[in-house]
Amino acid sequence: MSNVTPIWEVFVRAKNGLSHRHVGSVHAADARGAVEAARDVYTRRAEGVSLWVVPSSTIIASDPGEAAALFAPAEDKIYRHPTFYVVPDNVKHI
Amino acid sequence: MYTVDYSKPQDARAAQVEDADRLAAFDARVAADDFIEPKDWMPEAYRKTLIRQISQHAHSEVVGMLPEGNWLTRAPSLRRKAILLAKIQDEGGHGLYLYSAAETLGVTREELIEALHSGRAKYSTIFNYPTLTWADIGAIGWLVDGAAIMNQVALQRTSYGPYARAMVRICKEESFHQRQGYEALMVLANGTHAQRRMAQDALNRWWWPSLMMFGPPDDNSPNSAQSIRWRIKRETNDELRQRFIDATVPQAEALGLSIPDPALKWNEATQHYDCGQIDWEEFYAVVRGEGATAKDRIQARIDAWEKNAWVREAALAHAAKRSTKQAA
Amino acid sequence: MSQTFTLSPAELALRLGDDALILSHRLCEWCGHAPTLEVDLALSNIGLDLLGQAQFFLNYAGEMENAGRDADALAYHRDEHEFKNCLLTEQPNGDFARSIVRQFFFSAWQQLRFHELAKSGDATMAAIATKALKEIAYHVQFAAEWVVRLGDGTEESKCRVADGISWSWRFVDELFTGEDAALRPAWEARVRATLNEAGLDLPAPVRGITGGREGRHSEYLGHLLAEMQYVQRCHPNAQW
């Protein structure tokens, strides 16, 4: 057994209708303790209506070294954006 | 706050062996005010400096709970007691946010705490001064948190993403800390003779240590230039100190209290206050752990950690048993 | 379960207010010294909830008394024998296990008591209780989970939590005096469920120690009040 308490990443939904957003992390031995710690640490000023806690060790992140390969190819696909297209000013609702 | 860097200048050799191209790209990103994120490549010296700075800051928040905690059980009204408890709790939270940010750089909170307890890591010297009267609680909020905010506001734009985000959260929460302190002192300043004397005495004792919180003068702050280039420090010690003095002097006047510096004078030419010499001898003595309460502060932290180790062990043991049970 | 409480509302407000006031003070003593930062913040949150409850109850007690005393006057300017908190709340923190057991026993009782109070014909008391019940639900859960972690943790933690239970058990009878006796079965069921989950048993009955509700306290309360009231008593008539 390790004597290091696991880290949990904390996500807070500020209000219904919004998605959960990462706010930081807490240490807790178990999931229930992590939820409570997240509540006591990150919602003291009524910042949330729902919490997610995820063991930090289970998050799989993309490698910054691959950022160019992953994200650069999207940069020149400007035809995916509506502003790419020219429509006469007198044509409405489009 | 509490981000004064007490360490020796960095060993430059570490940086030299690193890939020059990556270093150039890194420097360019930082210079362009881009944020560096945890998995990004970074020079080892940057990583080490950040760990030291963020953990020093975290330790300061946590040790900083103690001088105020000294008056929690003697707070003179239920309202003040609730305010103080909420404020000290915030400081614990700020320590926690900062440990979290440091952990993204590949150290554990346990390692950082061990460094604090063994004396290898420092915390702000201000917390080695004793809190002798209730007025000290007001003075800490007003002056110590006020000085902290000067630093923290600048650090919201620091180059390391998790640190900057922690600072944004901290600044948002801190905004009540200084105001509650000033309000508490205002009541004393307008109160009985004994209360006014208490308030003035607190200002007398906390003024100079507060100025020292910004760290040594720029000409004697070896790491400042590199830290500013790296955007992990955004303004120099002296710049921040001057801004604090300029903001605080009129606040003291509004309280009808006098700042214990006969040399303090408005300078029409510079549009700033001139002030007397800071006793840097004392500063370095307190950094070395010679402050009145230094031994008590660190012992209190060691006790909290070590005498309660069985609690953390029990929680881990229980979690392990439970997951074994679930797996079976 | 429905009951009529024969205590005067003023007396009841004083009791419940003093319980919350004194236990929140004990929780303040943990601030900066807890096993982890997370637990430190949690105990402060519970302390703040209780301090809020204390202010509501004591202000109301002062109003009913109609002698110009508010919550602060009642908290800072009464002597030991005028405090009506139960003995459990004034017990020293001891180790974390003892504090957690104290919290669990007290909060589990408070939860049942406030469920009744929320139905009270006294609208102010009912409103205070209704608001507090949300807070208390969390306190009970938080403390119960820690009792389980400690009971079913290591050998050491099991011993410590057993010690904590035996320390506090003597003060349980006092929670169920008078009309509150009817709450005892539900309380024992709640406590037994958690202790069983923790691998612990409900202790055998012991001779209960009482007196807090009548103002006869343990030696600890005097020291607590000496500290809590010191500034106010040194500077009579000052504003803070």
Side-chain angles (χ1 to χ4, degrees):
Chain A
M1 187 185 76
S2 152
N3 66 350
V4 171
T5 304
I7 307 177
W8 306 72
E9 298 302 322
V10 178
F11 299 80
V12 176
R13 186 200 296 287
K15 56 182 185 184
N16 288 335
L18 298 179
S19 48
H20 286 78
R21 181 162 169 239
H22 183 247
V23 292
S25 63
V26 291
H27 285 207
D30 52 60
R32 185 64 220 167
V35 170
E36 287 169 2
R39 177 258 194 197
D40 286 321
V41 173
Y42 291 103
T43 65
R44 299 198 303 287
R45 288 174 170 80
E47 292 96 333
V49 296
S50 164
L51 284 166
W52 286 352
V53 295
V54 181
S56 298
S57 58
T58 62
I59 289 186
I60 314 294
S62 63
D63 180 350
E66 293 173 355
L70 290 173
F71 309 115
E75 282 168 13
D76 65 352
K77 311 292 194 294
I78 46 175
Y79 42 77
R80 287 198 171 106
H81 300 280
T83 47
F84 179 70
Y85 303 93
V86 180
V87 176
D89 284 347
N90 58 350
V91 179
K92 302 293 181 198
H93 308 299
I94 183 165
Chain B
M1 109 127 243
Y2 325 127
T3 47
V4 176
D5 188 352
Y6 308 117
S7 58
K8 304 267 181 315
Q10 275 297 315
D11 181 351
R13 278 170 308 178
Q16 283 169 10
V17 297
E18 301 194 273
D19 185 337
D21 290 347
R22 290 207 283 190
L23 191 57
F26 174 88
D27 286 344
R29 274 180 69 186
V30 170
D33 272 333
D34 192 4
F35 287 106
I36 305 301
E37 293 294 343
K39 288 170 68 90
D40 291 346
W41 183 88
M42 60 187 81
E44 191 53 21
Y46 175 84
R47 196 182 73 89
K48 280 191 176 149
T49 305
L50 267 178
I51 289 176
R52 197 180 51 243
Q53 181 173 324
I54 299 172
S55 66
Q56 250 171 223
H57 189 164
H59 297 326
S60 300
E61 295 282 359
V62 173
V63 175
M65 298 168 78
L66 300 168
E68 290 176 287
N70 183 41
W71 280 90
L72 190 47
T73 51
R74 291 178 288 174
S77 75
L78 299 178
R79 176 172 175 268
R80 294 282 171 211
K81 191 172 186 169
I83 291 168
L84 186 57
L85 181 53
K87 174 179 190 288
I88 302 173
Q89 185 195 41
D90 272 355
E91 276 147 20
H94 298 171
L96 202 151
Y97 306 156
L98 289 160
Y99 284 129
S100 291
E103 282 176 317
T104 63
L105 292 159
V107 283
T108 65
R109 193 197 296 180
E110 285 81 356
E111 286 167 341
L112 298 174
I113 289 173
E114 206 280 317
L116 170 69
H117 294 174
S118 70
R120 279 180 290 123
K122 299 292 182 198
Y123 56 89
S124 178
T125 54
I126 195 85
F127 303 116
N128 287 336
Y129 290 89
T131 48
L132 301 178
T133 73
W134 169 253
D136 289 27
I137 298 307
I140 288 180
W142 174 38
L143 299 173
V144 176
D145 290 290
I149 289 165
M150 290 287 164
N151 245 315
Q152 287 168 337
V153 165
L155 284 169
Q156 292 181 99
R157 295 175 291 120
T158 192
S159 63
Y160 187 57
Y163 191 21
R165 291 192 286 275
M167 293 317 308
V168 169
R169 196 174 184 93
I170 288 170
C171 284
K172 217 187 277 175
E173 298 186 352
E174 283 264 348
S175 50
F176 99 81
H177 293 187
Q178 191 186 16
R179 291 174 69 98
Q180 66 82 31
Y182 191 78
E183 188 205 72
L185 269 189
M186 207 160 56
V187 173
L188 299 182
N190 295 320
T192 65
H193 177 69
Q195 285 177 310
R196 273 196 302 280
R197 198 179 51 205
M198 203 186 277
Q200 181 62 55
D201 172 59
L203 175 56
N204 292 350
R205 282 181 292 108
W206 290 94
W207 173 252
W208 292 104
S210 300
L211 297 189
M212 293 178 199
M213 282 177 69
F214 296 94
D218 293 346
D219 50 17
N220 193 19
S221 183
N223 293 341
S224 274
Q226 177 60 279
S227 288
I228 284 180
R229 260 196 308 282
W230 274 338
R231 307 280 203 269
I232 53 186
K233 190 166 176 168
R234 303 292 319 225
E235 281 162 285
T236 72
N237 296 350
D238 286 336
E239 283 165 1
L240 290 166
R241 184 166 19 243
Q242 187 64 54
R243 185 173 316 149
F244 173 74
I245 294 168
D246 291 346
T248 309
V249 172
Q251 294 166 358
E253 283 165 4
L255 289 173
L257 299 178
S258 42
I259 286 177
D261 178 0
L264 190 81
K265 207 170 93 228
W266 177 252
N267 183 329
E268 201 51 54
T270 61
Q271 290 291 300
H272 291 294
Y273 284 94
D274 293 335
C275 66
Q277 263 303 314
I278 293 173
D279 181 357
W280 293 110
E281 282 288 306
E282 175 180 315
F283 173 76
Y284 287 110
V286 180
V287 171
R288 286 193 303 272
E290 294 168 24
T293 62
K295 286 191 196 320
D296 310 88
R297 299 285 187 250
I298 205 69
Q299 194 58 49
R301 288 311 310 158
I302 292 171
D303 286 349
W305 188 248
E306 290 180 358
K307 290 186 178 165
N308 290 309
W310 65 273
V311 176
R312 299 187 300 274
E313 284 159 16
L316 288 170
H318 175 69
K321 282 187 202 176
R322 191 165 271 191
S323 60
T324 314
K325 233 182 265 175
Q326 273 168 357
Chain C
M1 196 179 345
S2 100
Q3 306 178 26
T4 50
F5 290 98
T6 52
L7 278 178
S8 78
E11 178 69 11
L12 183 60
L14 210 52
R15 287 182 176 193
L16 300 178
D18 285 346
D19 283 348
L21 176 71
I22 300 301
L23 187 53
S24 78
H25 187 91
R26 287 298 187 208
L27 289 168
C28 284
E29 295 172 350
W30 269 108
C31 182
H33 305 281
T36 66
L37 276 176
E38 284 81 355
V39 171
D40 215 302
L41 268 67
L43 296 178
S44 291
N45 267 348
I46 298 175
L48 284 166
D49 286 344
L50 289 170
L51 193 50
Q53 294 171 18
Q55 285 171 288
F56 284 126
F57 280 123
L58 294 180
N59 273 326
Y60 189 48
E63 264 174 48
M64 285 185 286
E65 184 192 53
N66 201 19
R69 295 201 289 184
D70 62 3
D72 274 359
L74 290 170
Y76 291 97
H77 293 282
R78 274 180 302 156
D79 292 338
E80 206 181 331
H81 68 273
E82 298 168 280
F83 276 79
K84 298 298 174 65
N85 59 287
C86 60
L87 297 174
L88 181 65
T89 54
E90 71 198 42
Q91 295 307 304
N93 286 340
D95 63 7
F96 182 69
R98 199 190 281 176
S99 289
I100 276 296
V101 169
R102 180 186 64 197
Q103 192 68 50
F104 178 50
F105 284 2
F106 176 75
S107 296
W109 170 78
Q110 229 193 3
Q111 191 170 38
L112 294 165
R113 188 66 187 75
F114 282 33
H115 267 300
E116 295 304 314
L117 191 61
K119 294 181 259 171
S120 157
D122 184 317
T124 304
M125 295 285 263
I128 299 172
T130 302
K131 177 181 183 296
L133 275 168
K134 291 178 210 149
E135 301 165 347
I136 296 164
Y138 186 76
H139 305 168
V140 174
Q141 189 177 326
F142 177 85
E145 281 165 10
W146 271 107
V147 168
V148 172
R149 286 187 195 105
L150 299 180
D152 182 40
T154 62
E155 274 310 304
E156 180 181 6
S157 66
K158 190 179 186 111
C159 285
R160 285 175 180 267
V161 82
D163 279 351
I165 291 167
S166 114
W167 178 279
S168 288
W169 194 250
R170 303 165 290 160
F171 305 111
V172 166
D173 278 1
E174 187 179 31
L175 302 175
F176 300 105
T177 47
E179 300 89 340
D180 288 356
L183 302 173
R184 184 150 192 160
W187 184 87
E188 286 198 357
R190 177 70 186 85
V191 169
R192 184 182 290 111
T194 294
L195 294 191
N196 289 351
E197 201 187 337
L200 299 160
D201 294 318
L202 209 62
V206 292
R207 189 167 164 275
I209 304 172
T210 60
R213 299 297 189 209
E214 287 78 47
R216 276 179 291 106
H217 290 275
S218 62
E219 290 178 347
Y220 300 112
L221 185 68
H223 292 282
L224 185 156
L225 294 181
E227 191 172 341
M228 186 174 92
Q229 298 179 336
Y230 145 76
V231 177
Q232 279 260 359
R233 299 282 188 119
C234 276
H235 301 272
N237 305 320
Q239 297 299 307
W240 301 95

